Amino acid sequence: MAVASCHARVLPTFECRSDPGNSKPEPNRFSFKSKPKSKSFVVGVNLYRFPPNFVRQLSNKARRNCSNIGVAQVVAASWSNNDKNGSVAAVDSVTTDVNEVVAVGDGGDCNSNNNNSASNSVVVQSSSDSAALKASFLCADGSIAVHAGERLGRGIFTDGITTPVVNTTAYWFKNSDELIDFKEGRYASFEYGRYGNPTTESLERKISALEQAETTLFLASGMCASTVLMFALVEKGGHIVTTTDCYRKTRIFIQDYLVPNMDVSVTVIDPADVDGLQYALDQNNASGWLVSLFFTESPTNPYLRCVDIELVSKLCHSKGALVCVDGTFATPVNQKALSLGADIVLNSATKYIGGHNDVIGGCISGSMEVIAKIRKLHHVLGGVLNPNAAYLFIRGIKTLHLRVKQQNSTALEMAKVLEAHPKIARVHYPGLPSHPDYDIAMRQMTGFGGVVSFEVDGDLHTTKKFIGALKIAYIAPSFGGCESIVDQPAIMSYWDLTQDGRAMFGIKDNLVRFSFGVEDFEDLKADILQALATL
């Protein structure tokens, strides 16, 4: 497989039949009085020469879809008009309203007995990261989730609807001149598997479209994304501001690794403590310690606190600090952190984006400038997403809006039921007016997610009994999948600490985190009510 050159040749307009069946061919734009005997034809003033065995280099479907000579011969002719150094000329083909540039690569010497196989029609193409965003006819997240990065902006040229999995560790060059062109920026290639993959690139474009980002970097896990991001953006002696309520492993990484090994200092504030953030920004600037990064979740884990992203972004930017929002609980369907002013949005794609509890990965979205710094370190450290995992994420994202819509609805209705129940002491859900950040959530979210945290009216053992009586939800870590998952944070994530140690992090023994899946609402409601009835 070769990657197409970025030097495009503008070809004459041609037409393809919309029906690939056996209908009568329409008149051909490139008409001949008789079948040409030579392997060339003339369009305008340009002579196009066919390479040997060019028919074998085209899929049967490509030849069948295009009237007589049409696209097939024009594409084949472009292969024979390469530069002297052997680089492949690209072909401009306006195939949709997105003005997408499709760069067709060298088809190679394909086996003539396998022309119907999908692999014979798959070549890498050049496409802009923002190609999918140019589709004015795709306005809703649901449509973008299905088509962005694939039909619109896919880095692989194929007539298959689904994006192929490119399992390769390296990408070859036809000769040393082509390699030099790559090194000097005139030829596009990933070169090595750690630096990129066509399947993963399609996934990254899909996330970029959903997050309204210039670019996205996918990594092997959500924590891999978090750690590489902080290593890349926080210099030695820098300062991080983060929040009290957050994923425990993120806190451990900052306190146990960044602080002692990078001489990084940390300020921890309440998610709603804007004055505390302003004080940290002022103090550190006054003392010569520059705040490099404000890293926050919104909503947070496990109390689902919400940060005023627009406000904190303005404060941080006035002091030269970057803002990263971990939007895993929100998803790009419910919240657009970048449009609210954040510099970076991070997702543990393992959760809602994958959506099926079967694949692990993490992604970082933002501007080209900021993500380039993270990508550079990522290329050194590794942490590469497997292309098979990328395929599963692509598949999962196509139903993201449907799943999240169902989970939003179920969680909100169940939060109301739980809040009214006499055996529940308190419910934490940003869609409820009783939540401390309800007003913020209403301003910056279109849905409140599928996770509800609540406190059972009882102790550790009473809460254990409630969870043990549930019949539908799995007792497991993680959240956001099709299956409902329940856990007791005091046991699942903080059992290594004493009760007092857990209290220091705000983790109560009676706290339950319930991730609602896509099961029927009435079934979930009946199951929770019967479990509460056992107390």
Side-chain angles (χ1 to χ4, degrees):
M1 179 180 296
V3 182
S5 165
C6 60
H7 303 292
R9 179 187 295 114
V10 178
L11 296 178
T13 304
F14 51 79
E15 293 179 350
C16 292
R17 295 202 308 274
S18 58
D19 180 8
N22 296 321
S23 59
K24 184 178 179 180
E26 295 176 1
N28 176 29
R29 285 182 177 270
F30 306 111
S31 59
F32 298 93
K33 293 182 180 179
S34 61
K35 183 178 179 181
K37 297 179 180 180
S38 62
K39 294 181 179 180
S40 66
F41 72 100
V42 177
V43 179
V45 295
N46 296 322
L47 179 65
Y48 292 85
R49 295 178 301 280
F50 296 153
N53 304 318
F54 83 95
V55 175
R56 292 193 291 133
Q57 298 173 0
L58 297 170
S59 68
N60 287 336
K61 187 172 182 179
R63 298 196 306 278
R64 184 170 64 245
N65 283 356
C66 303
S67 58
N68 297 334
I69 297 173
V71 177
Q73 292 187 347
V74 171
V75 171
S78 73
W79 293 342
S80 66
N81 284 269
N82 297 334
D83 297 336
K84 293 182 179 180
N85 62 7
S87 63
V88 181
V91 177
D92 271 359
S93 175
V94 182
T95 56
T96 70
D97 290 341
V98 301
N99 297 320
E100 177 186 2
V101 177
V102 180
V104 182
D106 191 345
D109 189 12
C110 302
N111 190 322
S112 60
N113 294 326
N114 295 314
N115 280 337
N116 288 323
S117 67
S119 62
N120 288 336
S121 62
V122 177
V123 297
V124 177
Q125 66 184 19
S126 174
S127 181
S128 168
D129 272 357
S130 59
L133 298 179
K134 298 178 183 177
S136 60
F137 53 90
L138 295 183
C139 300
D141 282 339
S143 302
I144 292 171
V146 173
H147 293 294
E150 295 190 274
R151 183 177 184 177
L152 306 177
R154 177 157 57 192
I156 307 172
F157 183 78
T158 173
D159 53 11
I161 292 176
T162 57
T163 294
V165 180
V166 181
N167 280 312
T168 186
T169 58
Y171 304 84
W172 62 279
F173 299 88
K174 290 193 292 293
N175 50 55
S176 295
D177 287 336
E178 187 171 87
L179 176 57
I180 291 172
D181 284 342
F182 163 71
K183 294 294 185 180
E184 295 181 355
R186 295 186 297 274
Y187 183 83
S189 175
F190 294 112
E191 184 185 13
Y192 186 59
R194 193 168 71 248
Y195 307 144
N197 177 279
T199 309
T200 304
E201 189 177 63
S202 291
L203 167 63
E204 290 172 342
R205 288 180 177 136
K206 191 179 287 289
I207 293 293
S208 292
L210 285 171
E211 291 287 10
Q212 299 177 4
E214 289 182 6
T215 189
T216 292
L217 173 64
F218 238 93
L219 300 95
S221 71
M223 274 308 300
C224 181
S226 296
T227 55
V228 174
L229 180 149
M230 291 186 199
F231 271 135
L233 299 182
V234 182
E235 297 180 355
K236 185 175 182 179
H239 192 97
I240 292 179
V241 180
T242 190
T243 55
T244 50
D245 193 34
C246 69
Y247 180 48
R248 189 184 179 194
K249 292 299 188 294
T250 303
R251 182 188 295 114
I252 288 173
F253 173 71
I254 293 173
Q255 294 180 344
D256 294 355
Y257 294 93
L258 283 186
V259 171
N261 299 328
M262 298 283 290
D263 193 26
V264 169
S265 54
V266 183
T267 296
V268 182
I269 62 173
D270 183 88
D273 189 3
V274 177
D275 291 337
L277 173 60
Q278 183 69 68
Y279 179 81
L281 292 167
D282 292 340
Q283 282 295 108
N284 285 278
N285 276 270
S287 61
W289 289 78
L290 180 65
V291 175
S292 307
L293 180 70
F294 175 48
F295 186 96
T296 183
E297 299 168 9
S298 189
T300 61
N301 182 19
Y303 288 106
L304 305 171
R305 298 294 304 277
C306 295
V307 174
D308 190 331
I309 300 172
E310 185 174 7
L311 177 58
V312 300
S313 296
K314 290 178 180 178
L315 293 176
C316 290
H317 292 161
S318 69
K319 300 295 184 178
L322 294 173
V323 175
C324 176
V325 174
D326 183 334
T328 302
F329 276 84
T331 80
V333 173
N334 284 335
Q335 179 177 275
K336 308 290 187 188
L338 297 177
S339 66
L340 293 168
D343 300 287
I344 310 154
V345 60
L346 181 147
N347 280 282
S348 174
T350 309
K351 312 305 190 295
Y352 288 101
I353 289 175
H356 292 78
N357 293 316
D358 60 359
V359 60
I360 292 178
C363 58
I364 308 165
S365 303
S367 68
M368 289 285 191
E369 180 182 2
V370 173
I371 302 302
K373 298 177 183 178
I374 306 168
R375 194 185 301 273
K376 182 178 179 181
L377 182 60
H378 167 62
H379 287 172
V380 174
L381 297 178
V384 178
L385 185 74
N386 185 281
N388 295 280
Y391 173 83
L392 290 175
F393 280 122
I394 290 172
R395 185 185 65 174
I397 293 173
K398 292 182 182 182
T399 59
L400 175 65
H401 62 294
L402 300 175
R403 290 184 283 104
V404 169
K405 181 179 180 180
Q406 172 75 8
Q407 290 163 313
N408 285 343
S409 174
T410 297
L412 179 58
E413 292 306 310
M414 277 308 311
K416 294 176 181 177
V417 171
L418 289 166
E419 192 171 47
H421 200 283
K423 294 181 180 179
I424 299 297
R426 187 176 180 183
V427 177
H428 305 272
Y429 189 68
L432 294 178
S434 58
H435 192 275
D437 306 316
Y438 172 75
D439 291 338
I440 295 174
M442 290 295 292
R443 287 200 308 271
Q444 66 188 29
M445 301 182 74
T446 56
F448 308 106
V451 175
V452 178
S453 293
F454 53 93
E455 299 168 30
V456 175
D457 188 12
D459 58 9
L460 179 80
H461 298 287
T462 304
T463 307
K464 280 176 57 183
K465 184 178 180 181
F466 162 72
I467 290 177
L470 293 168
K471 298 177 181 179
I472 294 177
Y474 291 93
I475 302 175
S478 197
F479 58 90
C482 291
E483 300 87 359
S484 289
I485 287 178
V486 64
D487 79 82
Q488 192 171 351
I491 299 175
M492 182 67 71
S493 302
Y494 293 85
W495 191 243
D496 59 314
L497 302 179
T498 64
Q499 187 177 42
D500 290 340
R502 294 193 292 269
M504 288 179 61
F505 293 103
I507 302 301
K508 300 179 180 181
D509 286 347
N510 64 341
L511 179 66
V512 175
R513 191 184 74 175
F514 202 115
S515 171
F516 290 97
V518 297
E519 301 96 344
D520 183 79
F521 168 74
E522 293 298 335
D523 286 344
L524 289 167
K525 177 182 175 181
D527 188 29
I528 290 175
L529 292 179
Q530 68 81 25
L532 287 171
T534 65
L535 303 183

